[in-house]
Amino acid sequence: MNDYTDAWERLKHPDDNNASVRFTENGKTYLFSHSRSGKEWHLAELSGGIPSLPGIGRAMTQALTPKVLRSGSWQRFYEVLIPFTEGGRNYLFAHSSQDNRWFISELSASWNGSSELKNGNWARFYGRVVTFAEGDRNYLLAHSRQDYRWFISDLSLSWNGSDEIRNGNWGTYCDSLLAFSRDGQNYVFGHVGSTGWWSIARLTRDWDGHRSVKDGRSPLSAMASLPEF
């Protein structure tokens, strides 16, 4: 196999590659994937004019046959990869449990995988991170298993990584956090696997971390469909 094919064979194994993000640039879709094994990263093009196969949609065909553009490795594994856009350009927020390091970089087809715009280290690892937008600004909701701390912050190129808009401590750790939109409003779904407790809250930059739209207890796993409301 050539280098690209060999890289994609490693890319396909979900046990090794635990973090990936997709982004669009100039009408093409790309996948940036990062592996715990060897701390490798791969940047692949998913849309390149590949013909559709009979009975398989074009998007699925492209996803099955990517073109790996470049690969490399980092010094640590970044469990959290969050893409965001600002000024019409794509950027990446990454966070690692190894020394709690974070960085913000560009995210493009020409990114070399090493240049960073901002970086730092936090006092704890935030294993659950979601983003949402209000107007033309992006925000971050992060949650840590250590003392169950959470915070809401700006997510932009001007953010220093330490300024927070809201923060607090919950009574337990939410194994799952999912941000979604409905009727023009942002919401966050939280689920605690050990107890089955779940909650849906309106998500804004000024959310106090407690007000909810609905909550309850369910035997369903965190991967169950969101409750209707």
Side-chain angles (χ1 to χ4, degrees):
M1 291 188 293
N2 59 37
D3 291 342
Y4 282 165
T5 304
D6 186 50
W8 176 241
E9 287 302 313
R10 295 193 299 272
L11 189 78
K12 290 191 298 184
H13 297 294
D15 289 341
D16 290 338
N17 294 268
N18 295 58
S20 63
V21 295
R22 293 191 184 201
F23 66 96
T24 302
E25 181 179 305
N26 296 326
K28 294 184 177 181
T29 302
Y30 299 88
L31 176 71
F32 182 84
S33 183
H34 180 36
S35 169
R36 183 184 299 274
S37 175
K39 302 177 180 63
E40 297 175 341
W41 59 264
H42 307 286
L43 178 62
E45 181 184 332
L46 298 183
S47 51
I50 303 170
S52 297
L53 298 176
I56 301 179
R58 180 179 179 81
M60 179 62 72
T61 303
Q62 293 172 346
L64 290 173
T65 53
K67 175 185 177 182
V68 178
L69 303 177
R70 62 185 57 85
S71 300
S73 62
W74 287 336
Q75 294 182 345
R76 51 182 65 76
F77 176 64
Y78 289 85
E79 292 91 339
V80 176
L81 297 181
I82 301 290
F84 68 98
T85 60
E86 183 175 325
R89 298 179 65 88
N90 296 303
Y91 298 93
L92 178 70
F93 170 82
H95 180 37
S96 173
S97 61
Q98 182 179 335
D99 64 21
N100 305 326
R101 190 178 191 271
W102 63 268
F103 72 80
I104 292 175
S105 73
E106 70 166 309
L107 182 60
S108 70
S110 60
W111 184 43
N112 60 14
S114 61
S115 59
E116 300 174 354
L117 302 173
K118 295 275 183 88
N119 62 66
N121 299 78
W122 286 335
R124 51 180 65 75
F125 173 62
Y126 292 85
R128 298 293 177 261
V129 180
V130 297
T131 59
F132 63 99
E134 279 189 21
D136 59 352
R137 299 189 66 86
N138 298 302
Y139 297 94
L140 193 75
L141 169 63
H143 177 42
S144 174
R145 186 182 295 275
Q146 181 180 336
D147 64 22
Y148 311 140
R149 190 178 190 272
W150 62 269
F151 72 82
I152 293 174
S153 74
D154 182 32
L155 179 59
S156 69
L157 299 183
S158 60
W159 181 48
N160 59 15
S162 59
D163 290 343
E164 299 174 354
I165 300 170
R166 292 271 187 162
N167 62 65
N169 300 78
W170 287 331
T172 188
Y173 181 68
C174 284
D175 303 277
S176 298
L177 282 182
L178 172 66
F180 65 100
S181 299
R182 180 169 178 172
D183 299 330
Q185 304 293 332
N186 294 310
Y187 297 90
V188 59
F189 170 79
H191 181 268
V192 179
S194 60
T195 64
W197 177 87
W198 60 265
S199 174
I200 294 176
R202 171 82 185 284
L203 184 57
T204 69
R205 69 188 303 276
D206 296 318
W207 181 48
D208 64 3
H210 299 286
R211 293 193 307 270
S212 65
V213 177
K214 269 196 170 184
D215 58 69
R217 197 175 301 273
S218 170
L220 298 178
S221 72
M223 298 303 294
S225 301
L226 294 176
E228 292 290 331
F229 70 98

